[in-house]
Amino acid sequence: MKENPSRISLILIIVIVFPTLFFSGYELNTLSSNEAVVDSIYASQLKNLTVSVNQYSVDVLTRWADEFDDLSLIDKSGEEDSIFKLLSYHQAVRGVFYNDKRQVSRSFIDSAYQEIYSIDIQTLNHQLLKEDSVINKLEQYINNGYRKIQKLEINDEFASYYLYAIKTKDRQVKTAGLIIDKKAFVTEVLAPKLQSMAQSHFIISVLAGSEVIFSNHQDFTQAGNVRLAESLWLLDNYQIGVQILNDPVEQMIKKRTRSNIIMIIIMDVILLLGAFFIYRSLRQQLKLAQLKSEFISNVSHELKTPLALISMYSETLQMNRIPTEEKKMEYFGVINKEAQRLMRMVTKILNFSKMESGMRTFTFVETDLNDIVHRVIGTYKYHFKNAGFEYSVDYDYELPFISADEEAVADAISNLIDNGIKYSKETKKIEIKTGIRNDKVFVAVKDYGIGIKEKAQKHVFDKFYRVTDGNLALHAKGSGIGLNIVKTVITAHHGNVKLDSKFGEGSTFTLLFPEA
Ligand code: ADP
């Protein structure tokens, strides 16, 4: 089955990316469920706390109701004094009232409190009328020997009102009520209780909206910062909130959550980067495999042409059908030329394969680059003439010596000249120049051929790479290893190759060597 990059990306997505994202999502979900566990611990702690605080409030109010009820049994003369005495004794109780036929018949209200907060008896009467069934129930309870405290629904920011049933001296059943200062109730009655409940394990705060009425935490700005809050049903608009102090479980979970999130992110990044690198490397391998198979077909093609010519000419010679000696010589010449071409091809491929396997060794000697160029040109003179090429060589005779493997450098220059010839069209001209530039000794091979597009320029030194657009580039014979050999040779000489090319105008390849 043919693999292609989109198939690879699909496999990588299925095998790596999906599982990574799925696992991360699952882990993050588990982490948030840990948070939920902590929340539920809070919720149950708070529930217990609220229930017991409410129960305690009811107990206190019932006790106070009992105390005031006892007073209603004493003589009228002493009653008023005793009531006020009791009022001043219980700071949170700011008033008491007695009802007759669903109306306030008598009321005793702390005068200082009345001055500031003006308790409105009218509203109280109005509400009492509405509470008929509640009052009946309270009276029924007291007849059965049980006292219940009932909160009245009166909208008052500072006070709460409670009803309870009493039995008068003449054994009549009536109702009475307590007026409680909510803030004072919290600070004087609930505070010690909350303090003992909280100990050093919790922050417990009583809040009225955003105002902190009480907290066992010294820092009130922290006090409002409770994790969960529940209503105190005996005190309108008051809430009780709780925060576990230095909870080791919560801190452990928080720490674990943080480190788990960091680990998940690091793991995701590593896996996704891994997937990306695998994808890139596979894509390169595929590209290389494709180039290799093209290379094999190109090389076979290149080998076939000289072999066919050699075979044809030698056959003709063997049949002895050539009339003149001169013609015979011409045929021998062709056979020789083609055999040389084959030789060059095979040498090139062997050199490349040696370099690939790291087996090619270089023998460096101090040498004059001009000499090498001169020798290479010598082998091309005949070829240039045959192919109709004009050529020029411009030697710089001041060149310092370079340390080079002469054969390898000659190979590299030959490859450049071969390409110059192969990729030229109308203007058949090759210019070779030696010189020194920025302390580097160079030889440049310039042609006026088809040139190389900018985007292909950075690839031409890659192995097996060939430009495939443009008629000549496509049809010129080649294997895509020539420039790779050049690059490898020059790199082994600690030098570099420079390419200047303009598409349609020609190319200059410059080999630069360090001085010996
Ligand atoms: P090839 O055997 O195909 O010539 P090379 O490695 O020598 O392989 O060159 C790689 C590619 O670079 C060539 O296929 C060609 O497209 C381009 N190229 C190399 N030299 C020249 C040049 N002088 N002018 C234009 N294109 C060139």
Side-chain angles (χ1 to χ4, degrees):
M1 199 183 301
K2 200 167 156 47
E3 296 288 352
N4 59 37
S6 51
R7 218 178 115 84
I8 297 174
S9 16
L10 185 71
I11 292 173
L12 285 176
I13 286 172
I14 293 173
V15 173
I16 298 182
V17 181
F18 270 170
T20 305
L21 296 182
F22 175 78
F23 176 72
S24 308
Y26 173 78
E27 275 297 302
L28 291 176
N29 199 29
T30 316
L31 293 181
S32 56
S33 69
N34 286 346
E35 290 277 300
V37 169
V38 174
D39 268 347
S40 81
I41 293 173
Y42 268 103
S44 68
Q45 296 269 15
L46 183 63
K47 195 107 234 145
N48 292 340
L49 203 79
T50 321
V51 168
S52 72
V53 169
N54 280 330
Q55 192 52 54
Y56 179 71
S57 308
V58 172
D59 291 347
V60 170
L61 286 175
T62 312
R63 207 174 62 231
W64 287 348
D66 287 346
E67 287 176 21
F68 281 98
D69 193 8
D70 290 344
L71 292 182
S72 65
L73 297 177
I74 61 177
D75 281 342
K76 267 239 166 79
S77 50
E79 187 191 31
E80 203 168 311
D81 275 356
S82 318
I83 286 180
F84 279 114
K85 216 185 246 166
L86 203 52
L87 279 183
S88 63
Y89 183 66
H90 294 305
Q91 282 290 305
V93 188
R94 296 308 164 110
V96 56
F97 54 90
Y98 297 96
N99 311 322
D100 197 3
K101 301 194 170 58
R102 316 307 184 231
Q103 291 293 295
V104 174
S105 52
R106 284 186 300 153
S107 64
F108 306 89
I109 297 172
D110 177 335
S111 56
Y113 191 79
Q114 176 68 331
E115 211 162 277
I116 304 170
Y117 300 109
S118 59
I119 302 294
D120 182 3
I121 300 296
Q122 205 72 20
T123 319
L124 207 51
N125 279 336
H126 191 71
Q127 189 62 30
L128 284 174
L129 281 176
K130 288 201 235 161
E131 302 284 357
D132 199 51
S133 67
V134 170
I135 292 173
N136 281 337
K137 263 219 179 88
L138 291 176
E139 290 174 353
Q140 219 171 327
Y141 285 142
I142 202 80
N143 278 329
N144 294 334
Y146 163 67
R147 169 161 287 147
K148 189 173 184 304
I149 299 286
Q150 178 71 41
K151 185 159 74 84
L152 278 177
E153 296 303 323
I154 292 176
N155 201 0
D156 188 320
E157 194 185 338
F158 306 102
S160 277
Y161 300 77
Y162 305 93
L163 272 189
Y164 58 95
I166 53 171
K167 266 191 181 154
T168 59
K169 257 192 304 194
D170 42 5
R171 310 210 67 70
Q172 263 188 310
V173 173
K174 287 192 173 173
T175 52
L178 292 175
I179 301 168
I180 302 291
D181 179 332
K182 292 196 271 189
K183 238 181 217 180
F185 188 79
V186 172
T187 52
E188 267 146 49
V189 179
L190 294 186
K193 176 81 179 166
L194 294 175
Q195 200 88 47
S196 76
M197 280 172 147
Q199 291 180 8
S200 57
H201 309 307
F202 301 100
I203 300 176
I204 298 179
S205 305
V206 177
L207 312 164
S210 57
E211 187 190 353
V212 180
I213 306 293
F214 161 83
S215 178
N216 65 316
H217 198 279
Q218 297 87 338
D219 182 359
F220 259 42
T221 52
Q222 281 276 321
N225 209 1
V226 287
R227 174 115 179 185
L228 280 178
E230 276 232 354
S231 297
L232 279 176
W233 46 263
L234 275 182
L235 302 172
D236 279 331
N237 303 325
Y238 274 40
Q239 287 196 309
I240 183 165
V242 65
Q243 171 83 41
I244 299 175
L245 254 183
N246 305 325
D247 174 20
V249 176
E250 190 190 7
Q251 272 173 7
M252 192 188 74
I253 287 183
K254 264 200 181 137
K255 214 164 125 193
R256 276 261 288 277
T257 305
R258 212 177 313 125
S259 57
N260 281 0
I261 287 178
I262 292 172
M263 292 296 280
I264 288 171
I265 291 174
I266 292 176
M267 195 193 69
D268 281 1
V269 168
I270 291 175
L271 280 175
L272 294 178
L273 270 180
F276 169 73
F277 283 123
I278 292 173
Y279 171 75
R280 218 178 54 166
S281 132
L282 282 178
R283 209 182 53 174
Q284 277 169 356
Q285 296 293 330
L286 282 180
K287 180 91 187 138
L288 206 61
Q290 185 199 350
L291 287 175
K292 248 183 197 159
S293 83
E294 279 172 20
F295 165 77
I296 290 169
S297 104
N298 286 336
V299 166
S300 319
H301 199 76
E302 275 211 63
L303 294 178
K304 230 168 124 183
T305 320
L307 279 176
L309 284 172
I310 290 170
S311 151
M312 190 177 83
Y313 280 81
S314 57
E315 216 170 290
T316 319
L317 283 168
Q318 197 185 27
M319 285 191 284
N320 216 357
R321 288 221 201 110
I322 319 294
T324 63
E325 251 336 275
E326 202 185 7
K327 205 71 183 162
K328 262 189 195 168
M329 282 303 130
E330 191 192 320
Y331 277 30
F332 280 127
V334 171
I335 291 172
N336 188 266
K337 200 185 87 195
E338 291 305 319
Q340 299 249 336
R341 202 166 112 189
L342 257 182
M343 189 76 164
R344 276 208 307 278
M345 272 295 307
V346 174
T347 312
K348 189 166 159 183
I349 294 166
L350 283 178
N351 276 342
F352 173 74
S353 128
K354 263 192 195 162
M355 280 181 198
E356 274 294 275
S357 56
M359 307 258 279
R360 167 134 196 200
T361 50
F362 296 97
T363 321
F364 293 97
V365 290
E366 292 209 356
T367 182
D368 184 355
L369 184 60
N370 284 335
D371 283 350
I372 303 175
V373 174
H374 187 74
R375 234 173 305 130
V376 173
I377 297 296
T379 64
Y380 273 92
K381 271 187 183 146
Y382 175 74
H383 195 57
F384 280 142
K385 200 173 144 210
N386 252 7
F389 268 80
E390 210 183 293
Y391 75 96
S392 67
V393 192
D394 178 5
Y395 293 109
D396 177 346
Y397 292 106
E398 307 284 295
L399 279 192
F401 273 18
I402 58 169
S403 168
D405 179 315
E406 295 182 338
E407 199 191 325
V409 174
D411 261 359
I413 298 170
S414 302
N415 276 332
L416 295 183
I417 297 176
D418 280 341
N419 281 351
I421 295 171
K422 225 170 18 174
Y423 299 109
S424 288
K425 280 201 310 202
E426 292 86 17
T427 317
K428 293 176 186 280
K429 195 164 142 192
I430 306 284
E431 291 169 2
I432 296 147
K433 182 178 164 57
T434 62
I436 181 150
R437 186 194 297 164
N438 299 334
D439 292 336
K440 297 255 161 121
V441 181
F442 75 86
V443 51
V445 179
K446 178 175 176 142
D447 66 60
Y448 293 86
I450 58 172
I452 304 167
K453 283 185 184 163
E454 192 143 343
K455 71 172 183 345
Q457 286 183 15
K458 55 178 178 289
H459 295 300
V460 289
F461 296 100
D462 296 348
K463 57 186 166 200
F464 309 130
Y465 179 85
R466 306 200 68 218
V467 176
T468 46
D469 56 352
N471 235 354
L472 180 59
L474 184 62
H475 292 298
K477 286 181 191 137
S479 50
I481 58 174
L483 287 181
N484 186 253
I485 293 175
V486 172
K487 176 98 190 161
T488 315
V489 167
I490 303 308
T491 308
H493 283 71
H494 307 290
N496 49 308
V497 190
K498 216 174 135 256
L499 165 60
D500 291 298
S501 183
K502 222 168 184 188
F503 186 62
E505 291 182 14
S507 318
T508 306
F509 286 87
T510 310
L511 311 181
L512 296 121
F513 300 88
E515 282 180 38

